Amino acid sequence: MEASPATAEIIRTNWQRVQADVADACSAAGRAVSEVRIVGVSKYVGPELTQQLVDAGCRDLGENRPQALWAKHDWFNDAQPPQAADGPVAWHMIGHLQRNKIRRTLPLIDYLHSVDSLRLVDALATETANQDRRLPILVEVNVTEDATKTGMDPSGLPELFERIGDCPHLILRGLMAMSTNFSGGDQARHEFARVRQLRDTLQSRYPELDCSQLSMGMSGDFREAILEGATLVRIGSHLWDGIPH
Ligand SMILES: *Cc1c(COP(=O)(O)O)cnc(C)c1O
């Protein structure tokens, strides 16, 4: 869809509504709204509409595919980068990162939410050292009953944390997870609670690492995630309501 003044208005309204909904969820959880950061997932739209989301006030953008992130970056560098009046925008890689795409992706991202294997940690350790880059990361954990879903099995987390602790260029920030069907309800809440419990256990076992952030909650289940301690919610669809995508 073409960007126009009409799309800018829709996106601004959506952004304000999402912020209000997140604020409501925070007050229902007895939490300060400043504890939860909204990552605007821009994967559904092109760079022009992404820029309109930035213009509306969003300062964190999430993409789940490296190639799409590269393409958007190229566009922004050709036009004007997605700068906001009050500073640069942070890019979050939220989907699986293949090892052969690390080199090109690393310079473009500020956070990686989806560390999901020891092999990926090893490859990231090498490339962050090569590029002399410190990268904040979250470890993606699968807390659903479905072994085909993405993320680490919880049993593999201690070994992964120890490996990350040995890598001076990888800065652990926390855990990331998705619920079984993204639509909220008791099951999602239970799964997010499990993530928080895992975090608490790991944090006390590895006090030298920072596991304070929980990236969980999407358009359909951010309320449950915020009730269970999410600090980063990854919202896509609700931001693009009324914009064909
Ligand atoms: C697409 C995506 C989201 C956003 O999901 P919506 O339901 O559109 O809000 C969040 N996290 C990941 C990893 C995604 O791929």
Side-chain angles (χ1 to χ4, degrees), residues 66 86 95 120 204 206:
D86 54 356
L120 181 60
S204 51
Y206 301 101

Side-chain angles (χ1 to χ4, degrees), residues 119-199:
R119 295 200 311 170
L120 181 60
V121 168
D122 288 341
L124 285 167
T126 304
E127 193 55 31
T128 48
N130 285 345
Q131 296 190 19
D132 193 20
R133 174 72 213 285
R134 285 161 61 89
L135 180 69
I137 58 171
L138 296 107
V139 171
E140 184 179 355
V141 56
N142 179 7
V143 290
T144 72
E145 307 280 299
D146 182 352
T148 64
K149 292 245 181 203
T150 54
M152 295 280 296
D153 188 89
S155 63
L157 292 176
E159 190 184 5
L160 198 77
F161 271 47
E162 280 163 29
R163 192 73 64 89
I164 292 168
D166 290 338
C167 301
H169 293 85
L170 297 182
I171 316 302
L172 186 71
R173 288 285 185 247
L175 299 180
M176 182 271 226
M178 285 186 265
S179 67
T180 298
N181 49 32
F182 316 148
S183 56
D186 288 347
Q187 186 182 5
R189 180 143 186 206
H190 175 80
E191 288 166 345
F192 292 141
R194 176 95 202 287
V195 182
R196 179 171 45 75
Q197 288 152 9
L198 275 171
R199 188 277 304 278

Side-chain angles (χ1 to χ4, degrees), residues 32-53:
V33 75
S34 57
E35 289 175 42
V36 180
R37 193 153 147 187
I38 303 170
V39 177
V41 177
S42 50
K43 67 186 183 191
Y44 301 110
V45 300
E48 294 90 344
L49 294 169
T50 302
Q51 177 66 59
Q52 292 190 330
L53 180 63

